[in-house]
Amino acid sequence: MTSMILNGERRAVRAAPDTPLLYVLREEFGLNAAKFGCGLGQCGACTVVIDGEAVFSCVTPVLLAENRQVTTLEGLGTAEAPGPLQRAFIDAQAAQCGYCIPGMMMRAHALLTRDPDASDDAIRAELEPHLCRCGTHMRILRAIRRAADAMRPRSTAEAGR
C-alpha cells in the first residue's frame, strides 16, 4: 500500500501504484480542485505540488508520490480562511470560468515558495504550460504579485510599524 503526506496529513492510498495521482486525489480523497483537462500533461488544469515542485497529476503515477509531500489547492486554505494566494486571487477577481485557476495557483505557489521575489517575467514563464482562454491574465499576474507581497517575510523593522 502506498502512502503520502497529503496537505500535511499522512494518508494511505488504496489505488494501484500506476493509478494517476489526479484520480486518487479526486476519487479516493474527494479533493476536487485539481481538474481533468487533457489527460496528457499539456493543459495544467491538474497541477499539484510534490515536494515543492509543480507537477501534472494526470500523468504522475501515485507511486511517485509515495512518502512525499503532496499539496493541493485545498491544502493552501479553506473557504472560511483562504490562504494568501487564494485571498489574492479572490481580491483580484482573477478567475473567470475558474477551470484552470487551481492549477495556475499551485504552480504560482511552487514558484513563490522557492522565489518570493519572482519577477513578472518569471511568473509568466512559470505559467507558460497552462492553457487558459478566459482573458483574465493581467488579473492573474496581479493576484500572484499580491500574494508574493503577502507571503514575503517582513523584516523586523517593517513588522514594528
Side-chain angles (χ1 to χ4, degrees):
M1 185 175 286
T2 305
S3 74
M4 67 177 95
I5 302 161
L6 179 58
N7 296 329
E9 181 182 332
R10 180 158 297 278
R11 304 290 297 265
V13 177
R14 294 185 308 268
D18 62 344
T19 303
L21 177 59
L22 175 65
Y23 298 172
V24 172
L25 294 172
R26 293 180 63 83
E27 296 168 15
E28 198 166 318
F29 298 121
L31 300 174
N32 295 314
K35 306 288 189 260
F36 181 89
C38 65
L40 302 170
Q42 296 177 349
C43 73
C46 68
T47 302
V48 299
V49 175
I50 299 179
D51 288 344
E53 182 180 339
V55 300
F56 299 125
S57 64
C58 72
V59 294
T60 302
V62 72
L63 179 64
L64 294 181
E66 185 165 19
N67 294 319
R68 296 176 74 190
Q69 297 274 348
V70 177
T71 306
T72 67
L73 186 62
E74 293 91 346
L76 300 185
T78 65
E80 299 77 26
L85 192 59
Q86 293 164 318
R87 172 55 48 204
F89 269 71
I90 292 166
D91 291 347
Q93 298 179 357
Q96 192 165 1
C97 82
Y99 202 82
C100 66
I101 294 297
M104 285 192 185
M105 291 174 75
M106 294 313 298
R107 190 165 295 277
H109 172 72
L111 171 64
L112 296 178
T113 299
R114 74 176 178 271
D115 182 6
D117 297 314
S119 67
D120 285 355
D121 287 340
I123 294 169
R124 284 185 181 96
E126 190 73 15
L127 296 180
E128 192 173 318
H130 289 269
L131 298 180
C132 172
R133 303 293 182 246
C134 73
T136 64
H137 297 90
M138 296 312 293
R139 290 181 187 176
I140 291 167
L141 289 172
R142 190 175 317 122
I144 294 170
R145 286 191 302 267
R146 251 187 213 182
D149 290 342
M151 294 167 67
R152 190 176 298 113
R154 297 181 347 184
S155 70
T156 310
E158 289 176 344
R161 287 188 218 168

